[in-house]
Amino acid sequence: MRNVPPIRDGHWLLSRGEPQQPPIGAVAVPGVRMVSAVLWWRRARWPGAARAWAAVLCLLVMASAMAAGDATGATQDVCTEDSLAGVASDLAISNGDRDAARPLVARAEELLATGEFAAAGDLLTQAIALCPSWLRPHGLLAVALHGLGHADAAIAEYTVFQRGCLRGPARAVERVARLGAELLWLVNDARRRAGLSLLKPHEGVTLVAVRHSEEMRDLGYFSHSSPRRERATPLQRFMNVFGFQPVLIAENIAMRKSTASVLNLESIRASHQGLMNSAGHRANILMPRVTDFGVGLAVSGENAYWITEVFVRFTF
């Protein structure tokens, strides 16, 4: 890896001015495939038995498109990682009654939006009791506790959320999860002090951030632009996970290397302060329009780490 300064950072922003469909847009491409198959069958002139076989083929294409749409949309509720070195391809499956928990979580999100943190916290505690391994209510409960000023309890829930997005040796995961939780806390506390709404940790956005941090570490670069064409920009990396374009997406990155250990809270706080001291990074952190975020932290031994912060507004 080329020599780099001990601390580096960068920021990136894309905002769209036109309305965008919510997550249902993830099935747009398969839908086009279905329409194309139907038109191909209807417009072609098929003799006798060939027309029957063409109809069967058309139905198979449509079924494949529908399955692809379901698979694309399934990524929105999960964040998985096979180790600290890469993201797993299989989906995390929550235990418990998620269907019963969903209305509680939806109502809690409404309460969080109006600053009713105590009431939201009560609902989220019930949701977690119903479905303990679903990460979404843990992240939202951290926000509620943060809004109530319960720092230790909020960081504990942020840590549960980050831990759930990681796979690997328990000790290593716990350490990285705690450092990632500190970043979530620092970002939201900066917003709280500025009088802005607190951001909601999101599993899928965290996956986007983790992947980029790990890729920067593994391929030995530091940039918003990936050398892999399919992951070239933050927007492409987001769409690889969600399958649709958000209204707004912004990204901060930071890297720290040293001959001494940097895997500690003091270094993480210093990195955050460095971002806050930069106008572009600070603007991303304190952007009023964003609603959700994710933090990805990749480490190399004790002496280096890469941070990616992704800020998103999904819909108008």
Side-chain angles (χ1 to χ4, degrees):
M1 184 184 297
R2 64 184 184 278
N3 292 327
V4 294
I7 303 176
R8 301 179 65 184
D9 53 43
H11 71 280
W12 188 95
L13 168 67
L14 173 69
S15 179
R16 300 188 312 107
E18 297 180 358
Q20 173 68 21
Q21 292 295 325
I24 195 171
V27 299
V29 172
V32 170
R33 196 186 314 160
M34 290 172 63
V35 172
S36 300
V38 172
L39 292 177
W40 166 78
W41 178 75
R42 293 188 63 183
R43 291 177 179 174
R45 296 179 178 178
W46 301 99
R51 183 174 179 84
W53 281 110
V56 171
L57 180 59
C58 175
L59 291 173
L60 290 173
V61 172
M62 292 171 64
S64 173
M66 292 175 68
D70 290 342
T72 305
T75 62
Q76 296 167 27
D77 254 350
V78 301
C79 174
T80 60
E81 185 181 354
D82 59 355
S83 68
L84 297 180
V87 179
S89 59
D90 57 313
L91 302 181
I93 301 174
S94 293
N95 298 318
D97 191 353
R98 183 180 290 198
D99 289 339
R102 284 186 190 278
L104 298 173
V105 172
R107 177 56 181 154
E109 291 199 58
E110 295 174 356
L111 293 170
L112 288 175
T114 57
E116 298 176 69
F117 298 116
D122 290 341
L123 292 176
L124 291 165
T125 300
Q126 296 175 45
I128 290 170
L130 289 169
C131 191
S133 62
W134 187 17
L135 297 182
R136 185 66 170 171
H138 286 285
L140 296 176
L141 180 57
V143 173
L145 293 167
H146 198 150
L148 292 169
H150 302 323
D152 291 343
I155 290 175
E157 288 298 327
Y158 283 132
T159 303
V160 171
F161 177 86
Q162 288 294 111
R163 185 192 305 126
C165 292
L166 300 172
R167 296 291 182 270
R171 186 173 180 180
V173 165
E174 188 63 30
R175 192 175 189 185
V176 172
R178 176 62 184 88
L179 296 176
E182 187 72 12
L183 285 168
L184 295 176
W185 164 267
L186 290 168
V187 166
N188 262 345
D189 211 51
R191 293 179 64 87
R192 179 189 62 80
R193 292 195 304 271
L196 297 169
S197 61
L198 302 184
L199 301 180
K200 298 172 289 185
H202 192 285
E203 304 95 311
V205 181
T206 301
L207 175 59
V208 175
V210 167
R211 280 178 169 171
H212 189 56
S213 289
E214 292 188 339
E215 184 182 88
M216 287 191 293
R217 176 198 61 196
D218 296 342
L219 298 186
Y221 75 94
F222 180 74
S223 174
H224 295 285
S225 301
S226 168
R228 295 177 174 172
R229 291 184 59 186
E230 69 276 11
R231 300 181 182 180
T233 68
L235 177 60
Q236 285 176 286
R237 295 190 286 272
F238 176 94
M239 293 185 68
N240 287 344
V241 172
F242 289 91
F244 68 96
Q245 185 171 338
V247 168
L248 186 153
I249 180 171
E251 180 181 87
N252 286 344
I253 56 174
M255 179 182 67
R256 188 161 194 154
K257 299 181 70 177
S258 174
T259 55
S261 174
V262 295
L263 295 187
N264 53 66
L265 294 176
E266 290 72 24
S267 292
I268 291 294
R269 291 164 184 161
S271 292
H272 170 76
Q273 191 57 51
L275 294 173
M276 290 297 291
N277 290 341
S278 164
H281 301 91
R282 182 184 179 90
N284 282 350
I285 291 171
L286 300 182
M287 194 177 304
R289 293 179 61 202
V290 295
T291 57
D292 295 75
F293 74 139
V295 166
L297 178 68
V299 304
S300 178
E302 292 281 332
N303 308 113
Y305 60 71
W306 290 254
I307 294 170
T308 302
E309 299 173 341
V310 179
F311 307 93
V312 170
R313 183 182 184 89
F314 288 103
T315 61
F316 283 91

